[in-house]
Structures are given as C-alpha cells and as structure tokens.
Amino acid sequence: QTLIIASFIVAFLKLTIAYYVYSKNKSSKVNFIFAQLFIAQAVWDLGKGIMWILNDPQVAMYFAKISYTGYIFFVFVLPHFCWVYLKRQNFIRTKIGLAVWYSFMLAFIALLWFTPFVISGFIQVEEANLGYDITLLTYDFGPAYTYFFLWFQIVPIIYGFAIFTRKYFKTNYPDVKER
C-alpha cells in the first residue's frame, strides 16, 4: 500500500515541478520541454498507481498502457531536452531529424497499444519480502521491449547523463554549473 500511495504522491510532485518550471518562463522552449518530461513521468507514476489498485486485469492493462506511454514519451523527449538545454546542434534538431526521432516514439507507442510486442500481459509479484501482504501487477514484456530497452531507453539516458556531466566539468561559468 505504501508503494501505491508513493506513486500518487510522486506523480503530484512531478506535476507541481512541471508547472513551476513552465510558469517561470512560458515562452522558453527549454522550460516547455522540461515540463513535458515531468508530465510524462507523472503519467507513468499515475498509471502504475491506478493499475495497482484495480482488480480487473483488462482495465488495469488500459492504465498500464497509459503509464508506459508516459514512459516512452519521457525516454524520447529526454535527449531532445538535452540538445535544446545545451544548445547542441545536430541532425536530429532539424525538422526532418525531429520527425524521424519522434516517428520511432510513435511506432513504439503504436506497438504498445495495438500489439503484445511491448507489454504482453501481467505477472503478479508478491511483495511479502518488503513487509507488505499485497500482490502487485507488473508488466510481462513482449519481444519488442528488449529492443526498446537497449536502444531507446538505456542509450538516451546514459547519453543525456554523459553530455550534462561533460558540460558541468568543462564549463567555466558558475551559473551553468549551478543549473
């Protein structure tokens, strides 16, 4: 139950942070993309929380897909945020490049919603070892998930972390380091 409650609290905090950052400068592209990242994370947390409290697996699957849609969106927007925030110019920042980049996101979302290739169902996980006497549903991933995980999840997250870390250590501007 604590995990479920935490999911809702964290989602609320992420929505609050998204609103706060966006409201600081609504015309800033960086703030807009940052808000999208946190909204996507909140959707992920809300979907999981709702999925865990439902007893009907079909309805729970609907919220699982909403949840994972938020996560897929986050994974694809994160590198875009990094490029805009660090003012990196590359092919993907062009209109054609962004169309290609986000077409992969739309393809994965379509696979998620219309096939069992991303999430094929649920497995139940006993959380008794954590002191909770509850059963939570968790995803039973399909064959496309491994591909997604490797190329569209791990690589962008490591890449984003690496370019931000590099910028932090290379810059001589204290305000950039502070951000």
Side-chain angles (χ1 to χ4, degrees):
Q1 293 168 346
T2 304
L3 189 59
I4 296 168
I5 293 168
S7 185
F8 290 113
I9 291 170
V10 169
F12 175 75
L13 290 173
K14 288 176 182 176
L15 289 172
T16 302
I17 291 169
Y19 175 76
Y20 175 76
V21 169
Y22 179 67
S23 68
K24 294 296 273 181
N25 183 357
K26 293 180 181 177
S27 63
S28 167
K29 188 173 187 176
V30 171
N31 288 20
F32 178 70
I33 296 172
F34 180 87
Q36 288 179 335
L37 283 173
F38 271 67
I39 290 168
Q41 284 282 312
V43 167
W44 183 31
D45 293 326
L46 281 173
K48 273 190 162 180
I50 294 170
M51 174 187 80
W52 286 332
I53 62 175
L54 294 171
N55 291 327
D56 182 345
Q58 284 185 323
V59 179
M61 180 57 76
Y62 177 76
F63 285 98
K65 288 181 179 184
I66 289 173
S67 172
Y68 218 76
T69 299
Y71 188 66
I72 292 170
F73 188 83
F74 166 80
V75 168
F76 278 87
V77 174
L78 178 64
H80 187 185
F81 170 75
C82 296
W83 300 320
V84 172
Y85 185 82
L86 296 175
K87 298 178 180 159
R88 286 188 159 225
Q89 297 302 320
N90 57 34
F91 168 72
I92 296 180
R93 289 228 23 226
T94 66
K95 287 182 181 183
I96 293 171
L98 284 172
V100 169
W101 179 248
Y102 284 112
S103 68
F104 284 107
M105 178 188 78
L106 294 174
F108 270 104
I109 290 172
L111 284 174
L112 170 69
W113 281 92
F114 302 113
T115 73
F117 294 143
V118 178
I119 298 174
S120 61
F122 289 121
I123 55 175
Q124 294 189 346
V125 178
E126 295 293 332
E127 292 292 327
N129 60 339
L130 297 176
Y132 307 109
D133 193 20
I134 59 174
T135 301
L136 297 177
L137 294 173
T138 192
Y139 309 122
D140 185 11
F141 293 110
Y145 178 79
T146 302
Y147 180 76
F148 170 77
F149 183 80
L150 180 61
W151 296 108
F152 292 104
Q153 183 174 332
I154 291 175
V155 172
I157 290 171
I158 290 172
Y159 169 77
F161 181 75
I163 65 173
F164 273 121
T165 302
R166 183 173 181 259
K167 181 71 169 187
Y168 179 82
F169 287 112
K170 288 193 92 160
T171 188
N172 294 324
Y173 299 106
D175 62 323
V176 172
K177 283 192 180 215
E178 185 178 317
R179 281 187 267 158

